[in-house]
Amino acid sequence: MGFKEVLESKKFVVTAEIGPMKGTDVQETLEDAELIKGKVDAINVTDLQSSVMRLGSMAVCHLLKDHGIDPIFQMTCRDRNRLALQSDLLSAWVLGIRNVLALTGDYPTVGDHPQAMPVFDLDSVILLKVISRLNEGFDMAGNQLKGATDFFSGAVVNPGADTEAALEMQIIKMEKKIEAGARFFQTQGIFDLELFEKFMKRIEGFKAPVIGGVILLKSAGMARFMNKNVAGVFVPEPLIKEMEEAKDKVKTSIEIAARLIKGMKDICQGVHIMAIGWEKKIPMVLKEVGL
Amino acid sequence: MMIVFEQKPFEEILGYLINDKSIFILRCKGCARVNQANAESDLMDMKGRIEERGIGITGSAIKGLLCMKAKSVLEELSETIGNPTSLLIMACGLGVQSVAEATHKIVHPACNSFVDKEILELGKREYRCRTCGDCVLEFTGGICPLTVCSKGLLNGPCGGNSLGKCEVSREIDCGWVLIFERMKKLGRLKEFMSFLEPKDYRKIQKKKIS
Ligand code: SF4
Ligand code: SF4
């Protein structure tokens, strides 16, 4: 069963995330993927994450597909105008990619080519509409396609937005995204299940399933760094302490992730594991949860 | 226009003058945005350094608003300008372009132009209106998303805002938070939810297109 079918059958899905390398050496990426193959329903491939130039999402998605893994093609509006975005969507479809995740994208200045021209010709809501349109067999300009796409498209939402205004806007934007064609949501990393549950209550009745994000903590320092620098991620003090006092950091990290995932089973319809370099540890996390 | 200019490195300017025997230097006295106090000393400094390198100077002048008045300025100077092999223009990009338009001589730029530095640092929010040809202020509480959001997003904020500040710089407000708060105060969240269509960049294009 592909990712879409698992989600539509209302089963609890598991997705993971891979960030392509800087360069052409894909061996490690494929090893990581091979290791989690069969244990996850799909793997997201990031699109020049944090605005750092690297191998593209489409190529890696295609390689994953060849290895029997259902990829989720992440696509940001940062680097391509509407011509390139649409063309890349057609290309991805032809290469066998079936799932797309539409994102705004970070500003270029956060990455390693801060001189780059920021494009943002479209935004994530418009991009979702465009995907829906391509699925209907038309491009943005209304021209008919010879051969349509049939993407399963999703978007992101950030339940940890740090002000009430930001959270309200997240919810409004989520509604707009659903209207534009988003059929699933993946969230930013969640560390506070109570807050997440409250968020899920607020969006009760929304027609798209939510897949909760889980980030593998590597150290207390990493947690503090994220609290300071990553919008929408907040690691509560007790968890930071737990990591700080851990003798075996890997073991504790896996325990924390497993706890979060178990908690999410009653709250949302899946988990999205962001291992950030610890991809090889994903099977251990899933074993701990019993998935 | 919120343009400011700053002198190019001298060696770069010298490189431009490699085939020149003599030049005429024209310094823009400026407009409200340009530091006028330094016009005289900048020019003296430039003259001195160029002469030091053995390039002749047929004359120089300081004139205001070169961007708009280049043609009349050159007419006025026709007597004094002499016969230089080129003109060196100490002005913003607009000034240099207007002079180039008004003469057949070679024109060298002596300066780099920027958007007002403060504004540049404030997340590249150039102007308050980009004259997009399809105004959406009705849906955004009179605050333009194209200019007040660093990414010019039309349908709500990106995930990068934190404590009301923008991802691009924590020094500046997230434009979408400003829009949201205004619309909420006005009781217009329904309008706030409207889907805004992608822009027609033919109307915004900076370059002239036919
Ligand atoms: S939406 Fe913004 S850029 Fe467009 S006309 Fe209105 S104020 Fe100007
Ligand atoms: S943080 Fe706010 S102002 Fe900055 S790019 Fe995102 S939405 Fe726009």
Side-chain angles (χ1 to χ4, degrees):
Chain A
M1 253 198 298
F3 167 66
K4 179 184 172 195
E5 289 72 33
V6 178
L7 253 192
E8 284 179 344
S9 69
K10 306 271 183 227
K11 287 205 186 85
F12 193 76
V13 298
V14 181
T15 58
E17 183 166 298
I18 279 185
M21 294 286 145
K22 191 180 218 24
T24 55
D25 185 352
V26 292
Q27 202 186 334
E28 201 186 329
T29 306
L30 291 178
E31 273 171 24
D32 288 350
E34 206 57 55
L35 214 70
I36 47 180
K37 178 182 166 178
K39 299 189 172 72
V40 298
D41 299 298
I43 296 180
N44 286 52
V45 184
T46 52
D47 176 13
L48 314 195
Q49 193 172 16
S50 308
S51 304
V52 171
M53 194 291 292
R54 29 178 138 215
L55 181 60
S57 176
M58 195 194 312
V60 174
C61 282
H62 180 55
L63 293 176
L64 292 186
K65 188 89 201 173
D66 279 352
H67 282 72
I69 296 163
D70 199 9
I72 300 175
F73 175 40
Q74 295 202 2
M75 187 173 232
T76 72
C77 300
R78 177 190 53 230
D79 309 309
R80 283 162 289 193
N81 68 8
R82 62 192 82 182
L83 287 167
L85 287 169
Q86 291 179 94
S87 171
D88 276 2
L89 282 162
L90 297 183
S91 305
W93 179 260
V94 167
L95 291 175
I97 295 162
R98 297 295 176 257
N99 316 301
V100 199
L101 189 80
L103 302 127
T104 304
D106 294 328
Y107 207 70
T109 49
V110 308
D112 68 350
H113 288 60
Q115 311 85 348
M117 174 176 178
V119 179
F120 303 108
D121 181 19
L122 308 182
D123 61 35
S124 55
V125 178
I126 300 172
L127 180 57
L128 285 161
K129 265 215 172 174
V130 169
I131 298 168
S132 304
R133 204 68 187 123
L134 296 177
N135 284 350
E136 288 161 6
F138 295 92
D139 69 11
M140 258 182 99
N143 302 307
Q144 190 150 13
L145 303 173
K146 189 169 174 197
T149 61
D150 187 16
F151 283 116
F152 187 53
S153 57
V156 292
V157 66
N158 188 353
D162 57 10
T163 61
E164 176 55 26
L167 192 60
E168 270 181 60
M169 277 196 286
Q170 281 295 317
I171 293 171
I172 290 173
K173 196 161 181 183
M174 191 178 174
E175 277 187 274
K176 280 177 114 172
K177 285 172 172 175
I178 294 172
E179 216 160 283
R183 287 148 81 187
F184 68 91
F185 284 86
Q186 291 177 309
T187 78
Q188 180 57 284
I190 284 160
F191 290 96
D192 187 335
L193 288 174
E194 222 172 284
L195 263 184
F196 184 42
E197 204 170 356
K198 269 195 208 143
F199 173 81
M200 289 302 293
K201 284 252 155 66
R202 285 176 75 162
I203 58 154
E204 224 168 49
F206 281 21
K207 283 188 306 274
V210 172
I211 302 168
V214 173
I215 296 174
L216 296 193
L217 283 179
K218 292 177 189 161
S219 64
M222 175 199 184
R224 288 208 187 89
F225 177 85
M226 289 195 300
N227 282 356
K228 217 174 139 211
N229 298 302
V230 183
V233 175
F234 184 76
V235 189
E237 200 51 44
L239 286 186
I240 299 182
K241 220 158 160 221
E242 201 177 330
M243 281 307 287
E244 211 153 40
E245 286 163 4
K247 281 194 202 75
D248 184 344
K249 301 249 183 272
V250 175
K251 191 164 163 269
T252 306
S253 167
I254 291 172
E255 278 167 15
I256 292 174
R259 248 180 7 236
L260 291 168
I261 296 173
K262 277 184 196 154
M264 284 184 195
K265 275 184 150 177
D266 301 320
I267 305 177
C268 61
Q269 223 211 298
V271 284
H272 176 59
I273 305 171
M274 291 168 267
I276 319 179
W278 275 14
E279 283 74 18
K280 295 197 170 56
K281 310 203 163 49
I282 293 176
M284 293 183 249
V285 176
L286 294 173
K287 199 166 156 225
E288 180 90 14
V289 191
L291 276 167
Chain B
M1 271 284 178
M2 296 205 186
I3 291 186
V4 294
F5 60 83
E6 117 192 340
Q7 202 160 303
K8 285 174 176 287
F10 186 65
E11 292 305 317
E12 185 182 338
I13 298 175
L14 215 57
Y16 297 165
L17 307 182
I18 192 150
N19 294 317
D20 282 310
K21 290 189 183 61
S22 61
I23 60 165
F24 184 87
I25 308 177
L26 191 51
R27 167 69 158 89
C28 186
K29 190 170 169 192
C31 50
R33 304 247 162 236
V34 173
N35 189 350
Q36 307 181 11
N38 292 341
E40 191 79 36
S41 56
D42 280 0
L43 179 62
M44 291 315 289
D45 184 56
M46 178 67 82
K47 276 169 81 171
R49 293 175 78 176
I50 288 178
E51 270 170 339
E52 236 169 58
R53 301 295 179 108
I55 298 167
I57 294 178
T58 65
S60 65
I62 298 176
K63 295 285 173 190
L65 283 176
L66 274 189
C67 55
M68 293 163 73
K69 299 188 174 163
K71 199 156 180 263
S72 58
V73 163
L74 286 181
E75 272 162 18
E76 199 185 306
L77 290 173
S78 59
E79 304 280 297
T80 48
I81 213 162
N83 194 22
T85 48
S86 73
L87 309 179
L88 179 66
I89 313 299
M90 300 169 74
C92 78
L94 294 178
V96 178
Q97 290 193 54
S98 336
V99 173
E101 214 170 54
T103 178
H104 294 299
K105 288 202 185 301
I106 294 174
V107 167
H108 303 295
C111 300
N112 291 322
S113 301
F114 301 92
V115 175
D116 195 303
K117 272 237 177 71
E118 262 178 16
I119 291 175
L120 193 74
E121 271 150 28
L122 293 183
K124 318 278 192 289
R125 292 174 180 185
E126 290 148 303
Y127 316 105
R128 287 186 81 174
C129 172
R130 290 183 67 191
T131 52
C132 75
D134 184 13
C135 195
V136 299
L137 291 176
E138 173 67 13
F139 309 97
T140 56
I143 302 172
C144 174
L146 243 56
T147 56
V148 85
C149 164
S150 300
K151 295 175 188 169
L153 304 177
L154 290 167
N155 287 291
C158 72
N161 66 85
S162 179
L163 300 174
K165 299 294 175 185
C166 173
E167 154 186 316
V168 174
S169 159
R170 297 297 181 214
E171 306 284 299
I172 55 174
D173 294 327
C174 166
W176 272 99
V177 171
L178 299 179
I179 293 172
F180 174 77
E181 277 169 351
R182 171 79 61 84
M183 287 299 267
K184 195 170 176 184
K185 218 188 238 160
L186 295 172
R188 302 192 73 193
L189 284 186
K190 200 167 154 270
E191 286 84 353
F192 178 84
M193 300 220 26
S194 317
F195 173 77
L196 299 186
E197 297 285 343
K199 287 289 159 201
D200 179 347
Y201 275 85
R202 283 172 303 186
K203 298 177 185 164
I204 313 182
Q205 201 72 281
K206 286 188 183 116
K207 262 193 269 171
K208 222 198 289 173
I209 48 172
S210 43

